[in-house]
Amino acid sequence: MVQEIAIRVRLREQERLGLGEYERLVGSVATVAALVAWLPAPDSRLVLRGRAAEPVRLETVSYGAVFEMLVVLDQRSAAVERAASAVAALIESVRHEHVEDDVAGVAGELDRLDRSAPRGRSVAERSLRSLLEGARADVLARRTSTRVRAAQALLRLAEDGAELVVERVEDALAPELEAEVVDVTADTGAAVVVGTASKKADKKDASKKADKKKAAKKAEKKKAGKKAEKKKAGKKAEKKKGGKKKARSKDK
């Protein structure tokens, strides 16, 4: 079964979120989710709002000073997963520095994001850089386009110091989600190769299961051997008894 792609957004050291701030965050995350689904197919129209762009599930939770949001995309392809990893890498590259640049304004901030974007040659990575460049050009031309809104959502998450984790989800409509974290295991330049973080654990579990099975088979074999020996000994004793009875009847 091919699992659906989810993005977990974690924001630390958040003060108590007001309704306006909460709505802004949800809007930014939903916009980034729609952008991720579009990146592998840049020739299509970028839609940020509406039925086609809506995630299949969105959950929010806060504990202590941490605010966490899980957005499950209505997507399953590896290309979309690579796009999500490229966006996560972009946010991570600027997470530890302040993105805001008062002198250069929004155009300067977008330029800085573009410089931090992954430099791979996959379609998603090229689309991401192209979107940031186009958004910067639109800002300088004083145009408010769809790509400007998408780029600003990325910018807001970067300014908030968001951590993005790409996951695979078993069943998006289940009451409780089972998630599996996805890691970028290699960057070949042409494409990002993704793998699951639980691969090693799976191998370990499989090896443990195999050892258990082997031990169970060994124990069964031993048990069967003991049973056969017992049966043999019983037959021998029966034969001996039969021989003694025969000898007695001859004596009579």
Side-chain angles (χ1 to χ4, degrees):
M1 183 190 171
V2 183
Q3 300 165 315
E4 282 174 299
I5 299 154
I7 303 169
R8 190 177 296 277
V9 182
R10 192 174 291 122
L11 296 159
R12 298 179 190 277
E13 293 170 30
Q14 292 295 302
E15 298 299 322
R16 265 185 89 176
L17 288 171
L19 185 60
E21 186 63 16
Y22 174 80
E23 282 178 348
R24 185 185 75 83
L25 267 174
V26 171
S28 296
V29 172
T31 298
V32 169
L35 173 65
V36 162
W38 171 81
L39 284 174
D43 295 331
S44 60
R45 185 166 162 258
L46 174 58
V47 180
L48 301 180
R49 293 285 178 274
R51 202 176 183 86
E54 290 301 312
V56 75
R57 181 171 180 159
L58 199 145
E59 284 184 6
T60 60
V61 66
S62 57
Y63 44 94
V66 179
F67 175 79
E68 203 170 272
M69 190 179 298
L70 182 76
V71 55
V72 184
L73 313 181
D74 195 9
Q75 299 285 337
R76 297 182 176 197
S77 79
V80 175
E81 189 172 78
R82 284 195 290 271
S85 295
V87 169
L90 167 64
I91 301 297
E92 181 61 29
S93 68
V94 292
R95 190 165 66 84
H96 302 294
E97 56 176 303
H98 198 49
V99 179
E100 196 177 346
D101 190 340
D102 294 328
V103 180
V106 178
E109 293 166 29
L110 292 177
D111 189 39
R112 202 161 164 193
L113 267 190
D114 179 37
R115 289 199 303 272
S116 299
R119 280 3 241 180
R121 293 190 300 274
S122 70
V123 175
E125 287 167 321
R126 288 203 308 267
S127 302
L128 183 58
R129 292 196 301 272
S130 172
L131 174 115
L132 292 168
E133 285 165 15
R136 182 178 176 275
D138 286 346
V139 167
L140 289 171
R142 297 180 186 278
R143 283 196 300 267
T144 308
S145 60
T146 307
R147 56 189 176 184
V148 168
R149 290 202 300 275
Q152 280 179 323
L154 285 170
L155 194 60
R156 280 195 292 269
L157 289 179
E159 284 173 352
D160 288 338
E163 295 171 50
L164 268 65
V165 180
V166 185
E167 299 178 351
R168 282 278 185 173
V169 170
E170 199 66 63
D171 180 6
L173 299 174
E176 282 183 32
L177 290 176
E178 278 184 33
E180 192 175 275
V181 179
V182 172
D183 279 344
V184 177
T185 53
D187 189 347
T188 60
V192 179
V193 182
V194 291
T196 58
S198 58
K199 251 180 193 172
K200 282 181 185 174
D202 288 347
K203 275 183 184 174
K204 220 176 184 182
D205 288 348
S207 156
K208 273 185 183 175
K209 273 182 185 173
D211 287 346
K212 243 182 181 178
K213 219 175 181 182
K214 216 175 179 182
K217 270 187 179 176
K218 214 175 181 183
E220 215 172 287
K221 217 174 179 182
K222 213 175 182 183
K223 209 176 178 182
K226 276 185 179 177
K227 226 177 183 180
E229 272 178 38
K230 219 177 181 182
K231 212 174 181 184
K232 212 175 178 183
K235 274 185 178 178
K236 216 175 180 182
E238 216 172 287
K239 214 176 179 184
K240 214 176 182 183
K241 212 177 178 182
K244 275 183 183 178
K245 266 187 183 178
K246 220 174 180 182
R248 273 180 198 163
S249 61
K250 269 184 183 178
D251 289 343
K252 278 179 184 179

